[in-house]
Amino acid sequence: MLLDLLTPHRVVFVGGKGGVGKTSVAAALALGRARAGARVLLVSTDPAHNLGHLWDRPVGDRPVRLTGPGDLTPGAGRAGHVDGLEIDPERTVEQHLSAVAATMRRLLPERMHAPAARHLELARQAPGTHESAVLERIAEAVELGAEAYDLVVFDTAPSGHTLRLLALPEQLASWTEALLVNRDRSERFGDAVRGLGGGRETDRDAELRRVLLRRRDRFARLREVVTDPARTGFVIVLTAEPLPIAETTEMYEKLTGLGVEVTALVANRRSPADAGDLLARRRDREDEHLVRLRRRIPDPPLLDVPLLPGDLVGAEALAVLADRLGPSPA
Ligand SMILES: Nc1ncnc2c1ncn2[C@@H]1O[C@H](COP(=O)(O)OP(=O)(O)OP(=O)(O)O)[C@@H](O)[C@H]1O
Ligand SMILES: [Mg+2]
């Protein structure tokens, strides 16, 4: 069972191609664990959010309770719950930039304020700004999870976006590293100048250094959590069709390259073998695709989730899906 496989983990990422069922599986996982007593934070990092739609209640940029008392099995002992959070990239970028602007105003001499503001305006549009802001929020959610939850489940955006995000801590860490090295050089230069009679820059330098170090450490911690298979699980959801399978293989290779271990593959919306000729033939095709997938990716468990008849909306429907997170014959 997928739920059993992921029991030891404190953080789970659910990824895969667009439309394969990432949000549904992430939500069902969260609900499944909450029914077993866990306090779960379900976080959407996809700019096109739909947690709210799925749970049939408003979800926003702060955690809100998604499960009601009736959504969890009574008498399961410890009461668990699911809280939901949709990371809003626009708002995150705004908050991030205004925090940076405040720090800059505090740290930079007056004459630098106008050029610094222009620089920030450009940064708003720069590639990577959204992603690094979202990454900061992912780091924050992981930290919040460690304090107040047993598990954080990330419902991620389609493959490419998520992979870029996961590669970022590395890039940002080395970028901050480079800035710090430059600061060291300029500090030595500053010391020399101060030796000649200056002396006002010391506090600012120290503060800027602290800000950079904090950021670097935060990303380094995130990277450590994400690449630790004992703490973090990664589930790739797919449907047994050529394109999702091609993307799964690509994603698997990239994740492995980033040092992220894939815990399980989920073949979602499997056609039934016993519901008429059309679906039986579809199922045979799916099996063939899955055999090919297994040749490329033999190791992580592959689990089947059947095509369900109803609309997957609301805790009741998600509970049906949670019940079906079972093992695959493939
Ligand atoms: N096992 C299933 N049986 C039937 N329908 C399903 C199943 N899993 C998902 N669906 C349906 O498939 C559609 C896509 O699912 P979902 O929104 O979870 O995919 P996604 O990967 O998160 O998509 P996106 O990439 O757009 O975020 C939804 O309408 C959902 O209700
Ligand atoms: Mg989704």
Side-chain angles (χ1 to χ4, degrees):
M1 290 279 287
L2 187 60
L3 280 164
D4 296 333
L5 273 175
L6 295 167
T7 307
H9 298 104
R10 299 290 308 266
V11 177
V12 173
F13 285 87
V14 179
K17 187 179 167 12
V20 292
K22 297 177 294 298
T23 304
S24 310
V25 168
L29 257 177
L31 185 64
R33 285 290 296 278
R35 284 153 104 203
R39 299 161 301 159
V40 185
L41 179 62
L42 176 60
V43 183
S44 165
T45 67
D46 186 349
H49 296 296
N50 45 20
L51 284 188
H53 168 73
L54 190 58
W55 288 83
D56 215 5
R57 67 192 66 181
V59 180
D61 205 44
R62 294 275 156 256
V64 291
R65 185 62 43 96
L66 293 177
T67 39
D71 301 335
L72 304 166
T73 323
R78 224 152 50 88
H81 59 251
V82 180
D83 288 351
L85 161 67
E86 292 179 338
I87 294 178
D88 177 345
E90 293 297 334
R91 201 179 136 193
T92 305
V93 167
E94 285 315 314
Q95 280 173 350
H96 185 70
L97 289 181
S98 56
V100 174
T103 312
M104 273 170 126
R105 273 194 302 278
R106 208 149 30 84
L107 296 181
L108 293 174
E110 184 80 39
R111 70 193 151 77
M112 298 292 286
H113 287 186
R118 276 199 298 279
H119 175 80
L120 275 188
E121 223 18 72
L122 287 177
R124 189 192 303 276
Q125 319 296 340
T129 295
H130 267 62
E131 279 147 326
S132 68
V134 171
L135 194 70
E136 188 109 39
R137 296 291 308 279
I138 290 179
E140 202 181 282
V142 168
E143 287 160 20
L144 176 66
E147 285 163 23
Y149 295 90
D150 302 306
L151 171 70
V152 185
V153 179
F154 288 101
D155 167 27
T156 70
S159 323
H161 189 258
T162 302
L163 286 168
R164 277 202 304 283
L165 270 182
L166 289 179
L168 261 183
E170 193 95 310
Q171 290 164 13
L172 289 176
S174 47
W175 178 72
T176 349
E177 202 71 57
L179 282 180
L180 283 166
V181 170
N182 281 339
R183 295 298 307 168
D184 282 344
R185 284 205 200 103
S186 70
E187 261 170 33
R188 277 199 296 279
F189 176 71
D191 286 346
V193 172
R194 275 190 289 283
L196 298 173
R200 305 229 345 123
E201 299 293 310
T202 327
D203 291 348
R204 286 176 183 159
D205 272 357
E207 183 164 358
L208 195 53
R209 203 186 158 74
R210 267 199 303 278
V211 170
L212 288 176
L213 275 174
R214 225 180 3 245
R215 204 178 148 85
R216 187 194 65 176
D217 291 348
R218 182 171 232 190
F219 288 135
R221 272 198 307 277
L222 178 65
R223 173 122 191 98
E224 217 179 277
V225 173
V226 168
T227 53
D228 176 1
R231 271 184 287 181
T232 302
F234 202 106
V235 177
I236 305 182
V237 182
L238 58 123
T239 49
E241 297 160 305
L243 278 181
I245 286 194
E247 264 196 44
T248 300
T249 312
E250 200 178 314
M251 189 170 197
Y252 178 82
E253 279 159 10
K254 286 197 174 142
L255 285 169
T256 310
L258 288 168
V260 177
E261 194 175 291
V262 174
T263 322
L265 306 172
V266 171
N268 191 24
R269 293 202 297 251
R270 288 299 312 274
S271 305
D274 54 0
D277 190 41
L278 176 83
L279 287 171
R281 277 184 10 231
R282 260 204 83 86
R283 173 140 192 131
D284 288 343
R285 284 300 293 155
E286 291 169 9
D287 285 342
E288 287 165 28
H289 290 308
L290 291 179
V291 166
R292 264 197 294 281
L293 175 73
R294 284 318 246 173
R295 270 192 224 122
R296 306 283 296 271
I297 314 178
D299 295 333
L302 170 64
L303 308 152
D304 270 1
V305 172
L307 177 71
L308 296 172
D311 289 332
L312 273 176
V313 177
E316 213 169 298
L318 287 173
V320 174
L321 183 56
D323 286 337
R324 304 306 291 265
L325 298 177
S328 159

